[in-house]
Amino acid sequence: MRSTFVTAALVAIPAYTLADPLPSWNDTDAKAAIIAFVDSVTDPDADSFVPVEDRIATFDNDGTLWAEQPVYFQGLYALDILREKAEADPSILSSDVLQAANEGDMEGIMAGGMEGLIEIINVSHAGITPEDFKASAHEWLTTATHPSSGMTYADMTYQPMVELLRYLRDEDFKTYIVSGGGVDFIRAIADEAYGIPPWQVVGSEGNTSYSVESGTPTVTKDGGVSFVDDKEGKPVGIMRHIGQRPIFVAGNSDGDFAMLEWATAGDGPRFGLIVHHTDGEREFAYDREGHIGVLDRGLDEAEDRGWALVDMANDWSRVWTGEQ
Amino acid sequence: MRSTFVTAALVAIPAYTLADPLPSWNDTDAKAAIIAFVDSVTDPDADSFVPVEDRIATFDNDGTLWAEQPVYFQGLYALDILREKAEADPSILSSDVLQAANEGDMEGIMAGGMEGLIEIINVSHAGITPEDFKASAHEWLTTATHPSSGMTYADMTYQPMVELLRYLRDEDFKTYIVSGGGVDFIRAIADEAYGIPPWQVVGSEGNTSYSVESGTPTVTKDGGVSFVDDKEGKPVGIMRHIGQRPIFVAGNSDGDFAMLEWATAGDGPRFGLIVHHTDGEREFAYDREGHIGVLDRGLDEAEDRGWALVDMANDWSRVWTGEQ
């Protein structure tokens, strides 16, 4: 027999929470705006209805789907692999910038400029097949730990954003990552972390070549950078890979401004979302200043452009997928 | 009451024709090999079973999904648009190679080399948004007619290959085009002609940029060639866009050799298919020699490599989607 306590509890729960698609979002304006938008484009009787083939959603990765402090995770990976390789074979430290990287000397790294950074990245990202690279990145992301949180990097994805991705897919959106980070690095974990298959990851690209090595057909990462999928590169990367303007876009920094500006200028209903890093307690608090994830123009213009500014401290009841 | 004639007819039909997935293929070895492969990778009880997420199929376009004689359709489009523009404004014919193109002087065009070809292509392919370009290409493909067949170019897709694409999708394959042709040109018609959405078209790419023009966020095709998705570029293009090695690959020329070689060298069941242009009556007969679609090494090595050589004259009961 059901107790009256249980019955009362069931009655007391508002109807919508029975199917809350975004349980880690507080009941604030941001959550309401997302749900209202999704309802409006999926209602076949509404003027705002969008057919399934046009329901394209693109998400930045660093700072939008996972954390990006103190520096991009991919940079920390590159330094860890470099140190590991230098321990086995110190002769690989053949330049000032590689020595600076090995010692964690940030000023020395910066002094090398863009060429120096590519030199550092190439140690872990070149002369390797995409498959072997992804295996290495996956192992690092799931075992190495973040300097301040102590969590694995794979655990530092944002639970509310993972819920948002799943919610959109449940409503027949295609969800894409469109990141300034390297496409193979993200693909190493995207399916597991976000439910996003490799062919729905757009990112920066290095030079790649095909050859037959000792009878084995092989694709090899040759290093360097052949495409930068950041700032004005994001709309370009989207047109190259997807061939269509998204109707839902999410970012967190001015590196995402062009993607937001372009996507939300299209005809019909559009949704732009900016994750604002306001939570120094649970995550990191930063916006207009710094080396990573600067949000300045976006902060000034979000309201006028009708973009939802997500206040991490206020709008999210939980931050990490890794905390229970 | 059912007549005995109807009953007899039902009994006489072999069971498999009730659901023949490839009605425009004759009952030859090629068709049997395709069906046996698809059955083997989709049977959950077989050792050869391939999970849905690994069922990636890639198809060349020119000469594999539609015709490519007397020259690539995209080249004919470029020349038609150039003549159209020159009629309105003869001053655009500002170089020898553009004048040669306007007069259909093939020797003059060839004399311009790769730079000249890019100059010709830029007249129709540069300074335009991808959307406007696709609208122009779509109109041309569905209204201009082919010099020898008199059909529209859109009607010159191969019915047996369209059936093969549909069959694979019905068996939960993802079907991609991986073409040396321009990605936007193919996207203009791929969904309508092949049931392939823009994000499943991989092709050669021109330079593209993003800017805000008079307040309107705009992606523009700037011309030139930034990526050649042909020969060794095909495995590279596949890894960039799809991030995974396909298990089913189809091509028709040595430009597809690297894609076939790489894909069929992967672990587990693999299927390589080459369309051999043997049908001078209904289509065009060519292989080892010529300017377009040369098949030489592929013809020598197909048997040893276990690739299915599709003999168009023998294996297809119908060629064009456009004939009834």
Side-chain angles (χ1 to χ4, degrees), chain B residues 80-104:
Chain B
D80 273 4
I81 300 298
L82 183 141
R83 279 189 286 260
E84 199 180 293
K85 289 196 173 180
E87 210 167 340
D89 176 12
S91 76
I92 68 159
L93 301 174
S94 54
S95 71
D96 289 350
V97 75
L98 292 176
Q99 284 164 25
N102 189 50
E103 288 153 19

Side-chain angles (χ1 to χ4, degrees), chain B residues 179-197:
Chain B
S179 171
V183 63
D184 291 326
F185 189 76
I186 303 165
R187 282 174 176 163
I189 196 87
D191 203 356
E192 198 175 313
Y194 307 125
I196 294 182

Side-chain angles (χ1 to χ4, degrees), chain A residues 52-54 56 130-131 134 174 176 183-184 187 191 197-201 205-206 208-212 217-219 226-227 231-233 235-236 238-245 257-259 261-262 265, chain B residues 52-54 56 130-131 134 174 176 183-184 187 191 197-201 205-206 208-212 217-219 226-227 231-233 235-236 238-245 257-259 261-262 265:
Chain A
V52 167
E53 63 269 24
D54 293 333
I56 305 281
E131 289 82 2
K134 280 184 268 188
K174 278 194 192 306
Y176 282 84
V183 64
D184 291 325
R187 282 174 176 164
D191 204 355
W199 50 84
Q200 281 167 222
V201 179
E205 293 166 2
T208 310
S209 65
Y210 173 78
S211 60
V212 180
T218 308
V219 172
S226 59
F227 178 67
K231 302 190 177 73
E232 283 71 25
V236 171
I238 291 170
M239 283 310 286
R240 286 170 41 161
H241 282 256
I242 310 177
Q244 201 166 302
R245 200 178 335 201
F257 193 92
M259 172 169 79
E261 172 182 58
W262 173 66
Chain B
V52 167
E53 63 269 25
D54 293 332
I56 305 282
E131 288 83 1
K134 279 184 270 187
K174 279 195 191 307
Y176 282 83
V183 63
D184 291 326
R187 282 174 176 163
D191 203 356
W199 50 85
Q200 281 168 220
V201 179
E205 294 165 2
T208 310
S209 65
Y210 173 78
S211 60
V212 179
T218 307
V219 172
S226 60
F227 177 67
K231 302 191 177 77
E232 284 71 26
V236 171
I238 290 170
M239 282 310 287
R240 285 170 41 160
H241 281 256
I242 310 176
Q244 202 167 302
R245 199 177 336 200
F257 192 93
M259 173 169 78
E261 172 182 60
W262 173 65

